[in-house]
Amino acid sequence: MSKTCIIGAGSSGITVAKALKDAGQNFDIYEKGSQIGGMWRYENDNGRSSCYASLHIDTSRPNLGYTDFPIDPKLPDFLSHEQFLGHLEAYATAFGIPDRVQFNTSVQSVVPQSDGYAVTLDSGASHTYDHVVIATGHLTDTRVPNFQGHFGGSTIHSHHYRTSDPYIGKRVLVVGIGNSAVDIAVDLCRRAKHVTLSTRRSAWVMPKYLMGVPIDQWSGFLGRKLKLPTPAVRRIMAQLIKLGVGDQRRFGLPRPEHPMYREHATLSQDLLPNIGHGYIDVKPNVDALKGDRVAFVDGTEAPYDAIIYATGYDVRFPFLDTGVFDPDRQLGELYRRMVVPAHPGLIHAGLVQPVGPTIPLVETQGKWIAALASGAMSLPDKSAMEDEIRAHRDYQKRTYLDAPRYTLEVDYKLYTKQMKADMARGIGGVA
């Protein structure tokens, strides 16, 4: 029987562990922190969580949970991080996963060998595994722009934002317009003196509700009930959003040059109304930092006490030598978004950004990994894996913006169908 190492006991690691256990496979889980939960544990002592106090999940409850462990229907449409962590803990406990985790244990290195992968722990102990599943997440190593000049106030990355308390009565600039940026801007705006959102190329902002129904349930209805492909669903949703929200330029938020269906839209029920109330204003990209002032590329400038950079993350795996896997070069070169072709026992779980819900998608990844580990499914040869990677990258470029942000983008419906077809055939495919 093969043996698998899982690195990380967050939402991805525990569902992979559950799938391996269901398949009767042998595995170890190593977690740097003292409890399960990953990014969903507020102030996680593993130091990797980007969770802020006001965080609520953008996927509505019916679409969020694991398929064999539905979320309590008494919970709200959009769960808080605390509520979702409670669900994760209940899921893991129901299937006996916490007892299998070695907590407070860091993986120092993963080295391919002729008989598998040598995994060395912070204790100095080393073990050999047939497969290593990396489930550490990709929202830890912060990326900050290098603007000219110097800013005299406080600066942090959104990864380290927790509450609005330090910003009461202050003028705050939030750089970025992704989900974290707009969440934080909205969280700040009623307590700060003023909040500015700076965006380089803007984004389409979608509400969480449309006609009283969570937005993802509308897209789910169009996809499942009407059996429409995801690109068609996205085009229809773009038109519905325009009807429901109107022209966002009226609020001072520029319209992106690309159509809505080509990007991973920003989700917020509250951003546009708060701009409309004057609590938040929108500026273009930063041109220069000038002590206690910030100049923008439109020629304007304004004073600020603090800057919060919601400018994304670099993907890093410090326990992997870049000769084994270099995320700067190879992040988009994973077979089925999981397997390193040159080292097919090295597998990523949850290293995706789906159009659709993440949790049930990674649950399917876990089952796919378990099928591979148990021998119920095999991988195609390296050349076929590389063909699949090229086909996926071509699909990405045709479907989404050709930008680094979309390296991890997947279509939930299509990707799930592909993984299930692989498992049904007993061998990975190309399409």
Side-chain angles (χ1 to χ4, degrees):
M1 180 187 296
S2 68
K3 189 171 184 179
T4 300
C5 166
I6 304 171
I7 307 174
S11 57
S12 297
I14 62 175
T15 196
V16 172
K18 193 261 183 185
L20 287 167
K21 185 177 181 183
D22 288 347
Q25 294 302 293
N26 195 4
F27 62 91
D28 292 325
I29 318 176
Y30 301 113
E31 166 55 47
K32 184 178 180 180
S34 60
Q35 300 176 82
I36 69 163
M39 70 161 290
W40 298 109
R41 184 170 293 280
Y42 184 68
E43 299 285 37
N44 194 328
D45 60 8
N46 69 6
R48 297 181 61 84
S49 176
S50 56
C51 185
Y52 39 92
S54 63
L55 177 64
H56 280 67
I57 292 178
D58 289 335
T59 303
S60 70
R61 174 180 34 77
N63 296 324
L64 179 64
Y66 300 103
T67 57
D68 58 357
F69 201 81
I71 295 174
D72 184 350
K74 294 179 182 177
L75 289 172
D77 288 336
F78 296 99
L79 275 63
S80 69
H81 62 83
E82 185 176 14
Q83 290 167 327
F84 185 64
L85 176 63
H87 176 71
L88 284 183
E89 291 176 320
Y91 171 83
T93 300
F95 299 110
I97 303 305
D99 294 339
R100 302 291 300 270
V101 182
Q102 296 184 43
F103 292 106
N104 301 304
T105 303
S106 294
V107 170
Q108 298 299 299
S109 67
V110 176
V111 179
Q113 297 186 327
S114 59
D115 59 345
Y117 298 84
V119 176
T120 302
L121 308 177
D122 54 359
S123 65
S126 184
H127 307 281
T128 300
Y129 296 92
D130 300 283
H131 302 90
V132 175
V133 178
I134 300 168
T136 53
H138 52 93
L139 300 176
T140 298
D141 294 277
T142 59
R143 184 190 305 133
V144 176
N146 185 26
F147 295 130
Q148 64 174 333
H150 169 74
F151 180 67
S154 68
T155 61
I156 64 167
H157 190 277
S158 59
H159 180 78
H160 303 290
Y161 178 84
R162 294 296 178 263
T163 74
S164 61
D165 291 351
Y167 303 96
I168 295 173
K170 296 184 178 181
R171 293 180 61 88
V172 185
L173 173 66
V174 179
V175 180
I177 198 169
N179 287 318
S180 294
V182 300
D183 275 0
I184 289 170
V186 168
D187 192 43
L188 286 168
C189 72
R190 294 299 181 95
R191 304 184 77 195
K193 184 175 182 179
H194 187 70
V195 175
T196 296
L197 198 63
S198 168
T199 169
R200 184 173 51 185
R201 62 183 182 192
S202 195
W204 293 102
V205 176
M206 294 174 58
K208 282 191 167 184
Y209 289 94
L210 186 63
M211 291 181 276
V213 177
I215 198 76
D216 62 343
Q217 293 181 31
W218 279 106
S219 56
F221 168 79
L222 292 170
R224 287 191 299 270
K225 300 295 186 182
L226 302 184
K227 302 187 185 303
L228 296 175
T230 300
V233 170
R234 287 169 64 81
R235 284 173 168 81
I236 293 171
M237 290 302 300
Q239 297 307 312
L240 291 176
I241 297 303
K242 289 178 184 177
L243 287 173
V245 175
D247 189 340
Q248 65 184 40
R249 290 176 297 183
R250 185 180 176 279
F251 296 88
L253 187 62
R255 288 178 61 178
E257 294 180 4
H258 53 271
M260 186 184 297
Y261 57 82
R262 292 208 69 198
E263 77 163 8
H264 197 105
T266 296
L267 204 63
S268 177
Q269 193 72 22
D270 303 312
L271 176 65
L272 297 181
N274 278 294
I275 294 174
H277 282 83
Y279 294 118
I280 300 170
D281 73 324
V282 180
K283 289 287 187 181
N285 199 26
V286 171
D287 181 58
L289 307 176
K290 298 183 173 183
D292 64 348
R293 300 179 70 82
V294 175
F296 300 95
V297 296
D298 63 353
T300 63
E301 62 178 65
Y304 294 98
D305 303 296
I307 299 176
I308 299 174
Y309 291 106
T311 45
Y313 295 85
D314 293 319
V315 179
R316 294 288 179 264
F317 304 104
F319 46 80
L320 281 180
D321 186 271
T322 53
V324 176
F325 181 74
D326 183 355
D328 287 340
R329 295 185 299 105
Q330 298 171 282
L331 196 60
E333 298 180 3
L334 297 171
Y335 173 69
R336 285 292 192 248
R337 324 295 66 79
M338 291 179 275
V339 177
V340 180
H343 302 285
L346 195 60
I347 307 169
H348 293 269
L351 191 60
V352 288
Q353 179 174 286
V355 176
T358 301
I359 297 299
L361 183 70
V362 181
E363 179 186 18
T364 304
Q365 283 188 328
K367 293 175 181 178
W368 191 95
I369 292 167
L372 182 63
S374 68
M377 184 188 75
S378 60
L379 293 173
D381 61 32
K382 186 179 177 183
S383 115
M385 287 195 279
E386 291 170 346
D387 286 344
E388 188 274 345
I389 291 166
R390 280 192 291 270
H392 173 71
R393 291 175 69 180
D394 180 64
Y395 175 82
Q396 281 183 313
K397 290 176 181 178
R398 286 185 286 108
T399 307
Y400 313 112
L401 295 179
D402 188 9
R405 180 186 178 190
Y406 294 90
T407 302
L408 302 179
E409 202 82 3
V410 294
D411 174 345
Y412 171 87
K413 186 176 179 181
L414 174 62
Y415 183 37
T416 300
K417 181 180 178 180
Q418 290 169 336
M419 288 189 287
K420 289 182 176 179
D422 291 345
M423 290 185 278
R425 283 192 306 262
I427 184 168
V430 175

